[in-house]
Amino acid sequence: MTAPLPPFLGYVLAAPVLVAAAELSAAYPAARTPSPDVAGLLGLGEIMTAAALPGAALISVEVGPDGTVSFTLPPDRYDRDTSAAELIADGLSVPRRRVRVPPPRPAAGRARGAPHPAVGTRTPVRVAVAVARRRLLEAASAALGTPVAGLRLTAGAVTDRAGRRLDIGALAATAASTSTIAVTVDLTSR
């Protein structure tokens, strides 16, 4: 049985469109106390996540007015790997073609054959996506007059039970914030 994950802290950044972000140091739960149960010990993914702490402040997800989603990762955390784009497409229920992948940047100091740093960015990317998803649903709720529980986010649009539909691009400015705010989100275990 998998233990439930603690809440994570993400941010909605002050911007004209929706920009959600996560700092790994703030989003990553406090170190667990080791237990005799093997499942309670830190795993390789958690160790790599902790190793990604120094550059994690650069992880953000932006929803543009055209309905595309772009993201930024620290320069040494992205090396032609599209796993972040796939996490974003899945988490925001947008077609993969609507997620813009930044051009590869050199990963200075990365040893050949070393585990890929993208593993350590998985949690903050998921946190930023969860914050963006929540803001999009809240903006659609206000626009449609439908409770968030009555909305679905699929194929890059929010739909209510009556069939009314709003593209995420149309919600990008409404879901934005004029000041940076902290948001607590829950993630499901994967």
Side-chain angles (χ1 to χ4, degrees), residues 158-174:
V158 178
T159 311
D160 69 5
R161 291 184 180 132
R164 295 180 294 175
R165 182 179 193 275
L166 291 171
D167 187 82
I168 62 170
L171 296 167
T174 308

Side-chain angles (χ1 to χ4, degrees), residues 20-186:
E23 286 183 274
L24 189 52
S25 59
Y28 194 72
R32 296 185 209 152
T33 305
S35 74
D37 178 10
V38 175
L41 299 175
L42 291 175
L44 177 60
E46 292 167 314
I47 292 167
M48 291 181 73
T49 298
L53 287 172
L58 302 176
I59 295 170
S60 66
V61 173
E62 179 179 323
V63 178
D66 61 354
T68 60
V69 182
S70 56
F71 63 96
T72 58
L73 297 175
D76 62 339
R77 302 291 178 231
Y78 180 78
D79 183 22
R80 286 184 229 140
D81 185 4
T82 58
S83 63
E86 291 165 7
L87 278 172
I88 293 165
D90 182 50
L92 289 178
S93 301
V94 296
R96 172 60 185 80
R97 69 182 182 283
R98 285 176 64 176
V99 179
R100 292 185 181 149
V101 177
R105 294 180 262 172
R110 183 169 162 221
R112 180 175 277 161
H116 197 286
V119 173
T121 61
R122 186 180 256 330
T123 298
V125 167
R126 290 182 63 213
V127 170
V129 167
V131 170
R133 181 180 184 91
R134 179 170 160 182
R135 290 292 289 200
L136 289 167
L137 290 171
E138 289 170 349
S141 174
L144 297 172
T146 303
V148 170
L151 300 173
R152 280 186 348 183
L153 180 56
T154 52
V158 178
T159 311
D160 69 5
R161 291 184 180 132
R164 295 180 294 175
R165 182 179 193 275
L166 291 171
D167 187 82
I168 62 170
L171 296 167
T174 308
S177 178
T178 57
S179 62
T180 298
I181 56 174
V183 179
T184 302
V185 294
D186 292 313

